[in-house]
């Protein structure tokens, strides 16, 4: 790896929902940010095809609090292919006819510190320049796209770690948590979810190098 100290960024927001994939209809959030959501935030701040982010730890800085809302959502996922078909043969999509009200159990007033390493891919340059660029972007508040906390409508703010932050004094077994979605190499089809056994130890979620072998 070449570096013993991970890069760090502080993220926070009013709302968050890190949806449990086993909930098929209603949205229910994990109590803590998932590694895949943390990686998505880092990629929104700084992404290059020459490296990947490996999440080391996630610090929970504020008490875990839930809230529930009802939202209008559409049932059908729209696609560019469907739009092209409508253009060719006629027809279209009316959201009001495809709308359903769904319950969401989300988190409120959240804040985290993400610790992660940029891992260069084979043949890529040393990670030093990526580390420097990431720090500069965090200091300036720059990002490729606005980071979000699980759902795109739950925007996240981010900034450098001040050094005085302390994780919440909470220890709990969180059970199976989504590690990431594994896309088949050179094949089409849906991604395969991978899980790991998560534990919050004095407010810190430590992420293993790889997910559990059992799905």
């Amino acid at each position: 790896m070449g570096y013993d100290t991970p890069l760090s960024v502080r993220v926070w927001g009013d709302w968050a929902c890190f949806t449990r994939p086993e909930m098929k209809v209603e949205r229910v959030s994990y109590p803590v940010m998932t590694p895949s959501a943390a990686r998505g935030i880092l990629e929104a701040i700084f992404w290059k095809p020459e490296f990947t982010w490996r999440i080391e730890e996630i610090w929970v800085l504020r008490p875990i609090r839930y809230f529930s809302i009802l939202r209008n959502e559409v049932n059908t996922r729209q696609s560019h292919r469907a739009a092209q078909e409508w253009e060719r043969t006629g027809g279209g999509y009316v959201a009001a006819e495809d709308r359903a009200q769904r319950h969401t159990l989300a988190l409120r007033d959240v804040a985290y510190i993400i610790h992660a390493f940029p891992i260069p891919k084979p043949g890529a340059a040393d990670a030093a320049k990526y580390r420097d660029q990431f720090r500069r972007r965090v200091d300036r508040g720059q990002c490729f796209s606005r980071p979000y906390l699980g759902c795109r409508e739950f925007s996240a703010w981010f900034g450098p770690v001040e050094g005085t932050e302390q994780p919440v004094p909470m220890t709990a077994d969180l059970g199976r948590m989504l590690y990431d979605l594994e896309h088949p190499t050179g094949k089409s089809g849906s991604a395969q979810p991978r899980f790991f056994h998560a534990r919050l130890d004095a407010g810190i979620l430590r992420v293993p190098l790889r997910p559990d072998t059992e799905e």
Side-chain angles (χ1 to χ4, degrees):
M1 186 174 298
Y3 296 93
D4 296 328
T5 304
L7 294 172
S8 302
V9 61
R10 180 170 54 94
V11 297
W12 66 94
D14 297 327
W15 324 107
C17 185
F18 310 109
T19 306
R20 306 181 73 103
E22 65 267 27
M23 302 298 179
K24 301 298 184 181
V25 178
E26 310 295 345
R27 294 181 185 271
V28 178
S29 178
Y30 286 107
V32 177
M33 176 191 291
T34 62
S36 58
R39 179 175 52 80
I41 290 175
L42 296 179
E43 290 179 349
I45 297 172
F46 183 56
W47 176 86
K48 290 285 185 181
E50 294 86 2
F51 74 91
T52 59
W53 287 104
R54 185 178 74 76
I55 309 302
E56 180 82 0
E57 293 180 350
I58 298 173
W59 290 19
V60 181
L61 302 181
R62 294 176 184 169
I64 297 172
R65 296 194 298 165
Y66 287 94
F67 79 104
S68 61
I69 54 174
L70 286 172
R71 297 189 294 176
N72 290 325
E73 300 182 9
V74 295
N75 296 311
T76 307
R77 179 176 296 179
Q78 304 309 306
S79 67
H80 180 64
R81 180 180 298 179
Q84 289 178 323
E85 183 67 22
W86 296 332
E87 184 181 19
R88 184 169 56 253
T89 63
Y93 177 76
V94 180
E97 299 175 356
D98 191 36
R99 188 174 293 158
Q101 196 171 62
R102 290 188 173 89
H103 177 259
T104 297
L105 184 63
L107 303 169
R108 63 186 306 166
D109 191 26
V110 299
Y112 307 96
I113 291 179
I114 302 171
H115 298 281
F117 290 96
I119 308 299
K121 295 180 179 179
D126 185 80
K129 69 174 185 179
Y130 304 135
R131 296 170 66 90
D132 291 340
Q133 291 179 61
F134 177 79
R135 291 192 187 99
R136 288 196 298 269
R137 294 181 69 85
V138 170
D139 290 340
R140 298 169 181 170
Q142 293 177 313
C143 55
F144 292 122
S145 60
R146 180 66 184 266
Y148 56 90
L149 296 163
C151 296
R152 289 189 179 274
E153 60 266 39
F154 298 152
S155 300
W157 287 265
F158 66 94
V161 175
E162 298 175 353
T164 59
E165 299 90 347
Q166 294 293 328
V168 295
M170 177 181 177
T171 297
D173 189 333
L174 304 180
R176 280 163 51 86
M177 176 179 283
L178 179 67
Y179 185 89
D180 212 337
L181 295 175
E182 183 178 286
H183 296 270
T185 304
K187 299 179 181 179
S188 60
S190 59
Q192 183 70 31
R194 300 299 183 197
F195 299 87
F196 74 107
H197 193 94
R199 178 177 175 80
L200 196 65
D201 186 9
I204 299 175
L205 174 67
R206 294 180 173 86
V207 182
L209 285 173
R210 55 186 59 86
D212 299 337
T213 55
E214 181 183 352
E215 296 181 7

